[in-house]
Amino acid sequence: MSRREPEAISKSDSVVATFTMLAAVLLFANGLEADDPPMLRTQRVTFTDAKSVTRTIESRVLLEAQDGGLLLEGRDGRLWNVTPKQLQKREATEDSFQPLSAEQLGEQLAREVAEFGIKTPTQVVVTKHFVVCSTAGRVYAEWCGSLFERLHDAFQAYWKDAGLELREAEFPLPAIVLKDRTEFADFATKHDRPDAAQAPGYFSEPTNRIILFDLTAGQNSTPAKTAGDIRRKLEASPFNVATMIHEATHQLAFNSGLHTRYADNPRWLTEGMAMFFEVPDLDSRSGWKTIGRVNAPRLKDFRETLRSPRESLPLADLIRSDASFLNADQSRAAYSESWALTFFLLKTRRDDAVAYLKSVQRKPLLIADTPEDRLREFQTTFGELDTLERDWKKFMSRQGK
Ligand SMILES: [Zn+2]
């Protein structure tokens, strides 16, 4: 499956859905800033979810609208929008809010997989920061866990060096790895939406989970028995490994404070980050040496779409709005330009890029910026767009030579 296939579940897409759903409800929300400490007490809340299932969850309240609408965070890190109509009962408790332990989260993920009708037995692998629940066998799950841990360390080290202190994830990070594309498509359709099944993997912003499948399945009839087997098979398909890293980077970014779930993160920025980190480094004996290396498939897309009258996308449009990611003619340009812009800014203007990231980190939850706000904020940090665009294209023309 080509990496060019846009992800079906976009973070910003789900945020837009959330905005639409809750804009009216939360118009007078109490304006909780994304970096305010969340309320500490657990609330037990019973509500009817979007699929008409009645649920009672232990949660903390991230936002409360004047009319009683709630944005809740469950102990598994899942976010729930509850409208006054859906809300049945709300009980304050004396307990302080605690994320599930990795073991508890693993049990919950295994239950979810079974509840969605997946018959293959699951295995749970717990690493320092991740909980991998998989139907692809223990060896593959362990391989995923160790890949994610190496990415985690490289990601944290990169930002520390750049002068941006990130936090450790508060919740153990959930990954569901299905045994093949068919099972993945089945699960993705039920867990999210039918179009999620078309993606090669995705990060679900509401549920905080990454959903992937065994990329070595089907390439060779014998399942990989050792990490060495897996590595040999995957080296033949670097685009596929890039997908796993891409989605895990989204998850790390949203759980370390680089971005905030349900705040208005410009899509070019979230996708640009995932693509900046996605160049695989399968060498487990050393650190992640490929971070910031030219992303050859994205560079190729960038050059092709720039020249194509049908696909080309003005930089101002990319910055002002996320719409191009959802437009079939423009999504290839949207992704590749986002990579090229992020690459350029981190390579040539890293301090400004960090300042810009800090300004985005301060965005409130569930408030959408206008296109004008986005462009103004971008130009406040990086200067006039015309000059920047000229420098950017010049810089990009020298890459990959
Ligand atoms: Zn992405």
Side-chain angles (χ1 to χ4, degrees):
M1 189 55 56
S2 161
R3 262 307 294 137
R4 290 182 195 141
E5 190 172 80
E7 300 158 283
I9 290 288
S10 65
K11 295 141 319 309
S12 301
D13 188 22
S14 60
V15 170
V16 169
T18 307
F19 286 148
T20 315
M21 207 184 320
L22 281 189
V25 178
L26 290 168
L27 197 57
F28 302 104
N30 57 14
L32 184 78
E33 294 289 329
D35 55 358
D36 281 352
M39 289 173 218
L40 295 175
R41 299 276 172 221
T42 299
Q43 300 228 352
R44 200 169 295 116
V45 181
T46 303
F47 60 96
T48 316
D49 72 11
K51 291 175 179 162
S52 305
V53 176
T54 300
R55 294 175 179 270
T56 298
I57 62 161
E58 295 191 342
S59 64
R60 65 181 167 196
V61 178
L62 296 185
L63 264 187
E64 185 169 349
Q66 279 193 343
D67 69 356
L70 299 173
L71 178 63
L72 304 176
E73 188 165 42
R75 293 182 62 208
D76 59 350
R78 181 167 182 171
L79 299 174
W80 297 94
N81 303 315
V82 180
T83 62
K85 219 173 130 195
Q86 291 172 307
L87 184 62
Q88 293 178 12
K89 192 171 158 197
R90 179 178 172 186
E91 240 179 297
T93 76
E94 289 303 305
D95 306 333
S96 53
F97 179 84
Q98 294 280 354
L100 292 180
S101 70
E103 287 69 26
Q104 289 170 323
L105 181 63
E107 285 163 20
Q108 180 173 324
L109 295 177
R111 266 198 312 277
E112 282 174 19
V113 171
E115 279 166 14
F116 282 122
I118 306 290
K119 300 272 189 290
T120 317
T122 47
Q123 275 165 325
V124 175
V125 168
V126 173
T127 63
K128 196 167 167 201
H129 303 95
F130 293 86
V131 177
V132 182
C133 175
S134 177
T135 58
R138 180 158 296 275
V139 175
Y140 194 75
E142 280 170 356
W143 184 84
C144 291
S146 74
L147 180 76
F148 299 154
E149 287 296 343
R150 288 203 304 125
L151 175 66
H152 169 278
D153 293 350
F155 182 85
Q156 288 278 345
Y158 178 85
W159 291 112
K160 193 168 179 192
D161 182 56
L164 187 65
E165 205 62 55
L166 299 179
R167 57 168 195 262
E168 282 292 351
E170 187 185 3
F171 297 88
L173 300 174
I176 294 175
V177 182
L178 285 320
K179 77 171 163 65
D180 55 24
R181 174 168 271 283
T182 311
E183 211 174 78
F184 166 82
D186 187 25
F187 183 85
T189 304
K190 291 169 184 162
H191 185 266
D192 290 282
R193 302 186 309 222
D195 56 354
Q198 304 302 315
Y202 62 96
F203 167 65
S204 156
E205 189 170 334
T207 70
N208 209 32
R209 286 134 173 78
I210 43 178
I211 322 286
L212 302 163
F213 62 93
D214 182 351
L215 301 165
T216 64
Q219 288 174 21
N220 182 326
S221 52
T222 7
K225 289 198 181 65
T226 66
D229 283 351
I230 292 170
R231 187 173 147 168
R232 271 188 297 281
K233 286 187 179 196
L234 290 180
E235 272 169 348
S237 58
F239 286 5
N240 284 335
V241 189
T243 295
M244 302 182 67
I245 300 165
H246 181 108
E247 307 311 335
T249 303
H250 279 317
Q251 190 183 44
L252 286 170
F254 276 96
N255 281 271
S256 62
L258 186 69
H259 315 313
T260 304
R261 288 190 294 151
Y262 285 26
D264 191 35
N265 309 280
R267 180 101 185 249
W268 72 263
L269 183 68
T270 59
E271 292 303 340
M273 286 302 160
M275 290 180 280
F276 185 75
F277 283 90
E278 82 187 1
V279 183
D281 183 352
L282 294 177
D283 184 354
S284 60
R285 288 163 298 181
S286 60
W288 203 287
K289 288 185 182 153
T290 55
I291 285 178
R293 199 172 279 179
V294 167
N295 190 329
R298 304 294 183 185
L299 180 62
K300 183 168 173 282
D301 283 352
F302 176 69
R303 291 197 168 135
E304 286 173 8
T305 54
L306 212 58
R307 282 194 299 265
S308 154
R310 186 175 55 87
E311 289 183 283
S312 89
L313 171 67
L315 183 59
D317 290 1
L318 180 73
I319 291 164
R320 287 161 54 91
S321 152
D322 300 337
S324 52
F325 287 90
L326 303 173
N327 174 325
D329 279 343
Q330 288 191 310
S331 72
R332 187 164 78 111
Y335 276 92
S336 60
E337 277 185 30
S338 298
W339 166 74
L341 182 59
T342 305
F343 179 79
F344 166 72
L345 294 174
L346 287 175
K347 290 287 184 185
T348 68
R349 315 243 339 234
R350 193 159 85 164
D351 290 349
D352 289 339
V354 167
Y356 179 75
L357 279 162
K358 286 181 177 166
S359 74
V360 175
Q361 283 176 327
R362 290 192 289 271
K363 300 272 176 206
L365 298 176
L366 292 170
I367 306 291
D369 281 339
T370 64
E372 290 67 36
D373 289 339
R374 281 206 179 168
L375 192 59
R376 191 175 47 246
E377 258 188 75
F378 185 90
Q379 296 192 117
T380 301
T381 311
F382 298 114
E384 284 306 313
L385 212 54
D386 290 352
T387 317
L388 179 118
E389 189 163 4
R390 211 171 44 236
D391 294 348
W392 173 51
K393 286 185 175 160
K394 203 152 106 197
F395 177 80
M396 291 315 296
S397 73
R398 296 198 301 265
Q399 304 307 313
K401 295 255 159 87

